[in-house]
Amino acid sequence: MSTPVVEMDGDEMTRVVWRLIKELLIEPYVDLKTEYYDLGLENRNATDDKVTVDAALATRRLGVAVKCATITPNRLRVEEYNLKQMWKSPNGTIRRILDGTVFRAPLTAKGIKSYIQGWTKPIIIARHAYGDIYNCVEDVANEGENAYLLITDKDGNELRRKLVHSFGKGGGICQGVHNTCKSVESFAKSCFSYALSQNLPVWFGAKDTISKIYDHSFKDIFQEVYEKEFRAEFEKRGLYYLYTLIDDVVARAVRSEGGFLWVCKNYDGDVFSDMVATAYGSLGMMTSVLVSPDGVYEYEAAHGTVTRHYYKHLKGEETSTNSVATLFAWTGALKKRGELDNNVPLVNFAAKLEKAAIETIEQGFMTGDLIPLFESKGVTPQKLSTKGFLEKIAEKL
Ligand code: NAP
Ligand code: MG
């Protein structure tokens, strides 16, 4: 390797898996160069979360990062880790700095059947990674208080004011969200470009009938970008762009055979990527990449830190945690680094490692989450431990 990848370590079971992947499958074969940032919760707390910002800035500078799953602290975690404060979601911080779009694709292996019988082709989710509730401002309001949406000029002089609600008995809650035209536009561009790169049609759903300014702007900006820059190429290839209401997209998706890019607003993408990943088999089989408009890539698994398995691991019990998504985060980053640096052996190595992982599963060796999904003539699936599965891949490799 000539250029390092940014390595963001994380928490709990995925931190354990991270170490094993490096030790068993990467370091023996690659002269690995990384710029290491420890995003484990203890170190985020110790650095007042500066480490997360540093890691995101390093990603901007170097272009390619690989990230381990991390804890987003809630009240329980604040107690468990004795935190100075309830630190924000690291992914939120990174996405805010890099902007861009998160693409999530299920990893498929022969024999692993989808819960939704009709889904024979992958559905790739494109999640907008900026704004909405992930950068919201919220507050409680007491009885007799009013909440307003207030727009000022740059000096703070009031321009427009709209009443959100006058709170009565019992008070309530309110939330302010925003997005920027620039971010939505670059989201649209990266979705259409990515769809072309994968030769897929694009489906996008929002709630423009209810949200006549906010969601409607997403719809309008997408349509404009499509007409101006993409329609011709889509039509030439027999692809299409479909906009419809989000609930209609959900209904159509379930009835479909898959094989499209499903564009989601930030929250929808959060929710539906878990649904899609689970439907295709397991959360452990979903990869995720954040692509920024200026061509910066951050690879990760779509799942979390698999807390339940980690507590078992701490008790010395054997675990069977699926490491495939985390492994593909590594191979994705190495492949991209290799492409950018014209490092053919690195690209080839990453591809071989991916192949070895999928073939290991296809030949019946897998982690517990996949066992109930596996059906392949003449192959009896064998459940392996977290480490045992990775060792089996190493053997195959
Ligand atoms: P999770 O870690 O994804 O796990 C939810 C459940 O899904 C697990 O308990 C497990 O089910 C199954 N699962 C997920 N990944 C698996 C894998 N690789 N192999 C086998 N089974 C897997 O989500 P969570 O429990 O909601 O969140 C745990 C922590 O992760 C939280 O602190 C959250 O903040 C954090 N999180 C981080 C990210 C990120 O960094 N990108 C994303 C989401 C959540 P069984 O227990 O039934 O086996
Ligand atoms: Mg989610």
Side-chain angles (χ1 to χ4, degrees):
M1 289 180 68
S2 47
T3 320
V5 296
V6 177
E7 174 183 356
M8 306 184 199
D9 210 341
D11 289 300
E12 299 195 313
M13 201 59 207
T14 37
R15 192 178 177 102
V16 175
V17 164
W18 194 261
R19 190 92 305 282
L20 288 172
I21 288 175
K22 282 178 67 180
E23 271 173 24
L24 296 171
L25 293 171
I26 299 177
E27 284 165 350
Y29 310 100
V30 179
D31 171 24
L32 184 66
K33 288 200 171 62
T34 74
E35 211 173 282
Y36 180 85
Y37 294 85
D38 183 0
L39 266 56
L41 188 50
E42 274 126 354
N43 194 45
R44 275 182 278 146
N45 192 51
T47 61
D48 292 335
D49 209 21
K50 191 174 165 293
V51 66
T52 308
V53 175
D54 290 346
L57 295 176
T59 305
R60 256 210 187 145
R61 173 167 43 84
L62 291 172
V64 182
V66 55
K67 179 182 170 291
C68 180
T70 46
I71 292 170
T72 298
N74 53 17
R75 282 199 198 99
L76 285 174
R77 298 294 199 169
V78 172
E79 279 168 36
E80 183 184 352
Y81 284 82
N82 196 13
L83 300 179
K84 295 183 212 166
Q85 67 177 75
M86 204 190 292
W87 302 110
K88 288 193 173 157
S89 151
N91 285 338
T93 302
I94 294 164
R95 286 171 201 157
R96 209 157 33 244
I97 293 171
L98 300 180
D99 196 353
T101 306
V102 176
F103 295 99
R104 288 193 172 158
L107 298 162
T108 49
K110 271 184 237 108
I112 303 292
K113 50 183 196 311
S114 169
Y115 280 107
I116 298 186
Q117 303 278 314
W119 286 4
T120 51
K121 299 175 185 168
I123 294 175
I124 298 181
I125 298 255
R127 172 179 172 189
H128 190 201
Y130 179 84
D132 300 355
I133 63 165
Y134 301 86
N135 307 72
C136 74
V137 179
E138 37 180 37
D139 214 337
V140 294
N142 302 310
E143 183 176 345
E145 293 178 348
N146 301 310
Y148 290 95
L149 182 65
L150 171 70
I151 310 277
T152 70
D153 65 15
K154 64 180 187 341
D155 303 316
N157 302 308
E158 178 171 337
L159 296 175
R160 293 183 293 284
R161 172 193 292 252
K162 290 182 181 178
L163 180 68
V164 176
H165 194 67
S166 293
F167 289 89
K169 203 160 185 268
I173 43 189
C174 80
Q175 184 180 65
V177 298
H178 80 281
N179 227 298
T180 67
C181 296
K182 190 170 154 250
S183 175
V184 177
E185 191 182 319
S186 60
F187 176 44
K189 284 182 187 168
S190 50
C191 288
F192 291 126
S193 313
Y194 188 86
L196 285 178
S197 79
Q198 307 289 312
N199 231 13
L200 292 172
V202 173
W203 296 13
F204 180 29
K207 203 73 190 176
D208 61 287
T209 47
I210 300 295
S211 169
K212 293 185 195 306
I213 295 181
Y214 199 100
D215 277 26
H216 212 293
S217 297
F218 276 81
K219 177 184 175 183
D220 293 344
I221 291 170
F222 264 75
Q223 198 63 43
E224 208 178 297
V225 168
Y226 181 67
E227 299 299 339
K228 243 201 286 189
E229 297 179 39
F230 294 94
R231 181 187 277 280
E233 184 60 27
F234 268 63
E235 286 179 352
K236 203 167 102 194
R237 299 209 205 166
L239 300 173
Y240 60 90
Y241 166 53
L242 168 77
Y243 176 87
T244 177
L245 289 170
I246 178 69
D247 29 0
D248 185 37
V249 173
V250 172
R252 284 173 190 250
V254 171
R255 288 194 306 261
S256 78
E257 55 168 10
F260 57 93
L261 181 75
W262 180 354
V263 176
C264 291
K265 287 181 62 201
N266 210 342
Y267 177 81
D268 297 336
D270 189 344
V271 176
F272 291 125
S273 59
D274 282 27
M275 186 195 78
V276 167
T278 308
Y280 276 104
S282 161
L283 279 174
M285 298 291 282
M286 184 88 154
T287 60
S288 183
V289 55
L290 172 71
V291 184
S292 84
D294 41 355
V296 164
Y297 297 80
E298 185 235 329
Y299 293 84
E300 61 176 326
H303 59 77
T305 59
V306 212
T307 310
R308 199 180 64 82
H309 296 208
Y310 182 60
Y311 290 152
K312 266 179 83 177
H313 170 80
L314 286 183
K315 278 193 265 170
E317 292 170 31
E318 193 168 89
T319 56
S320 183
T321 309
N322 190 335
S323 48
V324 173
T326 304
L327 178 61
F328 272 67
W330 271 102
T331 53
L334 294 180
K335 239 191 219 172
K336 180 54 75 180
R337 193 65 267 166
E339 279 168 21
L340 296 173
D341 296 345
N342 285 318
N343 185 341
V344 177
L346 188 60
V347 174
N348 288 346
F349 169 74
K352 277 182 193 158
L353 183 48
E354 290 180 352
K355 192 159 176 266
I358 297 300
E359 283 182 8
T360 299
I361 296 171
E362 291 177 342
Q363 287 168 7
F365 303 99
M366 62 198 75
T367 45
D369 54 320
L370 299 180
I371 299 278
L373 305 168
F374 190 79
E375 223 178 67
S376 181
K377 233 180 155 180
V379 187
T380 312
Q382 268 188 55
K383 177 177 167 178
L384 300 180
S385 67
T386 307
K387 191 172 179 196
F389 176 63
L390 288 166
E391 283 168 344
K392 202 78 198 171
I393 298 174
E395 225 174 81
K396 178 114 219 122
L397 181 69

